[in-house]
Structure formats: C-alpha cells, structure tokens
Amino acid sequence: MAAATEETFEFKTEIKELMHLIVHTLYTHKEIFLRELLSNASDALSKVQFEALTNPDIYDKDQVLDVKLSIDEKKKLLTIEDTGVGMTREQLISQIGTIAHSGTKRFMKELSENEKKDEKDKKSLPDLIGQFGVGFYSAFMVADKVSIETKSMEREAPAVAWESDGTGSYVVKESERRKRGTSITLHLKKEAKEFLEESRIKSLVEQYSNYLPFPVLLGEEEVNKHEALWRKSKKDLKEEDYNEFYKQVSTDWQEPLHYEHFSGDAPVQFSSVLYIPKRAPMEYYGQDPHEHGLKLYVKRVFIQDDCKALLPRFLRFLRGVVESEDLPLNVSRESIQNDANITKINKVLTKKFLSALKKMSTKKEELYLDFWKQFGRFIKEGVHSETTYKDKLLPLVRFYTSKHTDNPTGSFADYIANKKEDQKAVYYAVGEKVEQLRRSPHLELFQRNDIEVILLTEPMDDMIFNQIGTHEDMKLINVESGDLELPEDIKKEVEEVEVSDDLTRLKDKVKEVLSDHVNEVRFSKALSDSPCKFYNASGGISHNVQKLMFNMDGMSGFPLKRDLELNPEHSYVKALAGRLDNDSVNDQIKMLFHMASLLEGTLEDPQELAGLVLPLLR
Ligand code: ADP
C-alpha cells in the first residue's frame, strides 16, 4: 500500500460546488466555522471516551480529553487540536474528501429549492448548513489553506496529514504526529484577521461552545464552562443559558422556539432538557437522512449522540439531552433499543412533554400557534401511529374551520362547544387550500345552516380523521359523504327530491353519458348556488383517501368513479333538461361533471375538459 507517499486527490464535483457556495455566498456569520470545528472536536472526544469504556487497547488511552486552541499571529494561523478518536488515512479520505453522508447533494438541492421560496419561508444559509452538517467546510470561509494532522485511536494506523486550499484538490501524506487526535490548522485569510485576537476567540467560545462537555483551552486558560446544564437547578439558569446550550446541542443557528427542563426519580432517575426548534426539519415523505435523537449521558459520560429510543418517533423534531444514573455505562447501541429503563424514560418524558404542550396551548396561545404551524403534522402523525397517546394528542390538534379561516386555531373542544344542540357529528372537508374549501359547493349546506366545518389541507389529514373515527362520542364525517347524519330539521335538505319529468330524463341521460366517470346521480336541495357537486353515495372511505390508497398500492390506473349530485333549482341544470334533444347536449353534460370537479378544486380528467373547452375558444 502506498500509504507513505504523497497523493493528490480531486474533490468531488459536489464538494467543489459546496465550497464555492460556502465561500462566496455566506457573507455574514463567518464566525460559525469555530463552532463547527469545536463541535467536531467534541464529537471525536466523546467517541473516544465511549470506546475507552469497553476497549482497553485504544492508542494513547490515558491521554487527557480536551481541545486546545492556539494562535500564531505572525504566520496568521489558528489551530484547533483535540485528543479525540482521530482518523485513519481511509477515514480521512472518505470523511473529509468526500462527504460521507449523502448530505451534500440534498443540501445543494434544498438550497436551490430554498432560493425559489417566498421570502417568509426561506431558510437562512446558516440554518441550512446547521441542518445538513456541512460543518468542516465552513473552515474555508475564513482560511485560504487548511491543514489537518491526525492519529487514529487504532494502534496500527499511521498518522496522516491532509492539506487543501479549497479550490479543487487536496493532498494526503504521512504525518509525524504521535499524540492521538486531530489538529486542524487554518491559514487565515487577510480579511479574517479578527480570529487572531484572543479576546475575539474567547468570546466566540463563550457564545457558542460554552457547554461543550470537554474543556476548551486557549493557551493555559480554560475558556468554556463545560458543565452539565441539565443537572443544574432551574432557578440558577437564565433563558440565555438555555438558548446558548441549545445552539451547541443542536448546531442550529437560531434560538429555540421553546425549552422544557425535566427531571424524574421514579420509576427511573433522569434529568433532561428538551428543545423545540423554531423550524421543522426538512423531510421528504416523513424521512430525514439527518434525523436526530437526543444526546444520551449515563453517570456523566457521553454515550450516544442521537439516541432515538428516548422518544416516540413522532417527537423526532425535539432536540436536547437526557442523562440517567440508572443505566449501565456499557450500554451498546443495540441494547439501548430494548433497555427497560430507556423505555421507562421514554414514557415519562413523553407524558411530561405532552402535558407541557397542553399547558402551552392554553396559556401561551400565540406560541402554541407558532409551534403548531411548524410541527402540527408531527402531532397528527402521532395520532395516526401511536394509539397509546391518542387521547393526549387529540386535544393538541388544531385546524382551520369555516369559523377559523385566518389561522389554524380551531380545536375539537372548541368545535364541540360551538356545535348545534342536536348535532351528533363533527364535519370536515378536505382539499388543497383553505380559500378553496371555503367556497366549495360541499360547504353550502353547512354554511346555510350555520354548522361549523373543519377545513383540512394536508394530504394525510383525511386518512387521520378517517382513522380517529369518533371523538367524544361524535362521529367524524367527511362533508362529501352520502350519509351525513345531520340534525333532524336539516336532514330533509339532503334527501333525494321528486323532480319533473324533464329532470328525471336528464338524470338518466347524465348516467348514460358519464358512465365511465360516475356511479350514482341524484337531485337534492343541499346546494344553494352551485349547479352540482360530487358526493360519496356509499358514505365509506372518501374519494381522496381512496386515491391515496390506490396510489400507494400502485393501482393508479384503476378508474375511481364518483357520485354526482345535481341542484334542481339551478338555471344551467334546468336549461340542460330543456334541450336534451340537442346535438351538443352530451358535451354539456360532460361539462357538468368537470364543473363539479373544478368547483371542489380537483381535476378528474383534465385532457377531456381541455377537449371540450378548446372548440369554444375558436
Ligand atoms: P459532520 O460533522 O456533520 O459529520 P463534517 O464535514 O464537519 O460533517 O465532518 C465530516 C466527518 O469528518 C465527521 O463526521 C467525522 O467523522 C470526521 N471529522 C471531522 N472532524 C473530526 C475530528 N476533529 N476528529 C475526528 N474526526 C473528525
């Protein structure tokens, strides 16, 4: 093997793009490079601390665990040196030269998508960087050359050096380093002179890295507190302390939205600080390649960075720390999953957190609304996936309704308090946008009778409401259902009505012409202004859920028919009935079908509709 020789490697294209971007786009907050590098150093120290618990054979076992910062003003060098796990040659190439995880590509993709977003939805670049962990490369914001020397904890692995100017390539060669760990030297750019000042470095460590679990030394002086915030008493801590600690545990750039400091003694001892970030993680179909868990400490020793077993999956957006005295130090990643005490902590923590949310929802409504807008879908996911917590979660659910149209501030409790006296069901409508739903023909009957309707706009909502079934003895019913279980005095408004012979002939004709698209056709008085709407004659699973299920089953080609309700009082319907012998009536009946889909904001057969409309435009 040519380990001893000097070798030059090209950065992968995506890394080049990434570095270009970091160097040229990130004008503000360049100082975060220090937080990123210190966080890597601390991770490396935690890893070696954990390894040492079970492996007596690691290199340099008795080395003090710390980070040393040193400044060479003359040569304009800033060095960050840790005594952590270090890296072998292969690790150095695979982890630094390429990005080990698939994060970069996603980062770049997210970045270009982010550019297209409305200003208010845009994430800041440091947010994105924090989230995707492109940490190390941030060094090139302030340095025109970066050198790494590293010696792995693996006894046999020779020390290696790495150097790059961050433009296209890097060099790997042998290193003289004997001490275990990694030393990263930044050859600072002219405009980054400020990072040669001790006072500047000191204040940055205090600001961003105060609660790192290992000492950070500048010369002889320890510049961080490195104490366990979660073990302190709440009354000795200020909001700033919590916020500062958050930035360190989360590598988030922003302040958290909220935090909770909990501890418990029975049935198992633990203390923890949980944070709700300001923004929800970027997930694709409920999956996030960077999904975090909580940091786990046992008897003051760091065990795991992202322990997912500490919370149910629907709370995966939470960040923070848990420490327990009641776990063995040698818990492995595998055994954590099944550890009875971890399960107990999970239960207590979840219960405490959900009651804290409940309290927030009544005492701090504005904050709760912010929370809901970002994380509501996780709570709804919990309703769907964790039956144990369903009763605790349902009161937390918020939605738009026909009476709460500006913000999702409606709740089940509120809905039930406002229901009509003899109303036995909770009604909901599902669509893409609140504005569309409000004007949907499905709502005409309800608005006329002053019955509130919940307006749902996320694809899974329908599925979730379908699954909830009933709440507080009230059945949840989709407004498109053919069996609405309405209060007695309103019932007659949706019953099929007797119509004239012309209209009956129209109905038969509609059935015949639309036989590919439509099952049942009926006349009722449910509609006030619209000529027609779809309904779900069987009253079973809604059209939307059927579509979701069919797509999931890969049966998207299957024809999903609908049922059509006509307004006997509408002028268009009446006119159609009067010209059934006309040549063009078939096309006009087809238009009726498309009208129903346009009015509810869906498009069942866009090509056919285009074919019908085009001749009219000539
Ligand atoms: P992240 O820290 O999000 O994984 P980075 O680009 O900052 O991304 O680092 C990439 C990888 O390089 C790390 O996951 C780690 O394996 C390795 N690494 C970085 N810094 C150090 C260090 N000081 N000691 C040991 N390994 C390190």
Side-chain angles (χ1 to χ4, degrees), residues 40-41 44 47 82 86-87 95-96 101 133 135-136 182:
N40 282 351
K47 282 183 200 158
D82 66 68
M87 286 173 271
Q95 290 165 7
I96 301 281
H101 42 245
F136 168 76
T182 304

Side-chain angles (χ1 to χ4, degrees), residues 287-320:
Q287 300 297 324
D288 173 5
H290 298 285
E291 186 179 320
H292 296 278
L294 300 177
K295 286 186 196 287
L296 174 66
Y297 287 77
V298 172
K299 304 182 180 90
R300 291 161 203 241
V301 179
F302 173 82
I303 302 293
Q304 198 183 340
D305 203 19
D306 56 349
C307 184
K308 299 192 175 79
L310 287 165
L311 288 170
R313 184 156 191 271
F314 75 91
L315 293 180
R316 64 188 171 278
F317 59 88
L318 289 177
R319 311 297 299 272

Side-chain angles (χ1 to χ4, degrees), residues 27-288:
Y27 296 114
T28 56
H29 306 310
K30 286 188 191 294
E31 71 276 12
I32 60 162
F33 82 92
L34 188 62
R35 182 193 70 180
E36 298 293 323
L37 296 182
L38 283 174
S39 154
N40 282 351
S42 171
D43 287 349
L45 287 162
S46 294
K47 282 183 200 158
V48 83
Q49 189 184 39
F50 182 66
E51 187 68 20
L53 292 173
T54 50
N55 183 356
D57 197 38
I58 57 173
Y59 182 74
D60 234 359
K61 190 164 191 217
D62 299 322
Q63 189 62 252
V64 180
L65 300 179
D66 62 13
V67 190
K68 289 195 171 72
L69 297 174
S70 44
I71 293 168
D72 183 331
E73 246 179 288
K74 269 213 190 99
K75 294 189 185 148
K76 302 199 171 52
L77 303 178
L78 173 65
T79 301
I80 295 117
E81 181 182 14
D82 66 68
T83 51
V85 273
M87 286 173 271
T88 64
R89 184 184 163 90
E90 288 71 31
Q91 285 166 344
L92 190 57
I93 293 167
S94 69
Q95 290 165 7
I96 301 281
T98 58
I99 283 189
H101 42 245
S102 60
T104 325
K105 268 216 170 103
R106 275 185 176 281
F107 172 78
M108 303 290 285
K109 183 162 170 261
E110 196 56 51
L111 191 81
S112 63
E113 278 168 15
N114 194 49
E115 285 304 307
K116 291 181 218 143
K117 283 188 186 160
D118 288 353
E119 211 46 50
K120 68 172 179 12
D121 297 327
K122 254 188 199 159
K123 299 206 176 206
S124 74
L125 209 52
D127 271 357
L128 286 170
I129 288 180
Q131 190 158 11
F132 282 85
V134 284
F136 168 76
Y137 296 92
S138 61
F140 289 100
M141 297 191 296
V142 295
D144 42 28
K145 189 161 86 180
V146 176
S147 328
I148 306 178
E149 304 246 359
T150 182
K151 166 69 190 92
S152 160
M153 69 169 174
E154 287 173 36
R155 222 164 255 292
E156 307 306 323
V160 263
W162 180 105
E163 193 164 273
S164 175
D165 63 4
T167 51
S169 62
Y170 60 95
V171 176
V172 175
K173 60 184 180 192
E174 218 176 317
S175 152
E176 293 296 303
R177 188 178 170 87
R178 290 289 155 263
K179 209 171 162 183
R180 187 195 64 222
T182 304
S183 156
I184 297 183
T185 301
L186 310 183
H187 303 253
L188 293 172
K189 294 178 185 173
K190 261 204 221 81
E191 63 270 25
K193 277 206 315 283
E194 58 185 293
F195 303 112
L196 294 169
E197 287 164 30
E198 284 201 2
S199 59
R200 175 81 171 123
I201 294 293
K202 219 172 126 176
S203 76
L204 282 177
V205 174
E206 278 170 12
Q207 192 180 350
Y208 297 121
S209 312
N210 221 351
Y211 288 105
L212 281 186
F214 301 95
V216 177
L217 300 154
L218 181 59
E220 295 298 306
E221 192 190 353
E222 212 172 283
V223 282
N224 65 335
K225 283 193 201 133
H226 81 92
E227 59 191 343
L229 171 124
W230 58 91
R231 237 186 279 119
K232 294 179 110 180
S233 155
K234 275 185 231 181
K235 64 177 185 340
D236 297 333
L237 290 162
K238 292 198 283 295
E239 185 165 339
E240 293 92 271
D241 295 313
Y242 286 106
N243 288 353
E244 183 191 308
F245 180 57
Y246 170 70
K247 288 178 188 165
Q248 187 225 301
V249 286
S250 67
T251 66
D252 192 348
W253 173 253
Q254 291 178 302
E255 313 269 272
L257 186 76
H258 183 71
Y259 60 83
E260 292 287 346
H261 190 163
F262 298 130
S263 51
D265 287 312
V268 46
Q269 190 285 331
F270 75 90
S271 44
S272 86
V273 177
L274 295 185
Y275 291 96
I276 304 174
K278 261 218 175 79
R279 312 255 197 145
M282 282 176 256
E283 291 192 330
Y284 297 84
Y285 310 110
Q287 300 297 324
D288 173 5

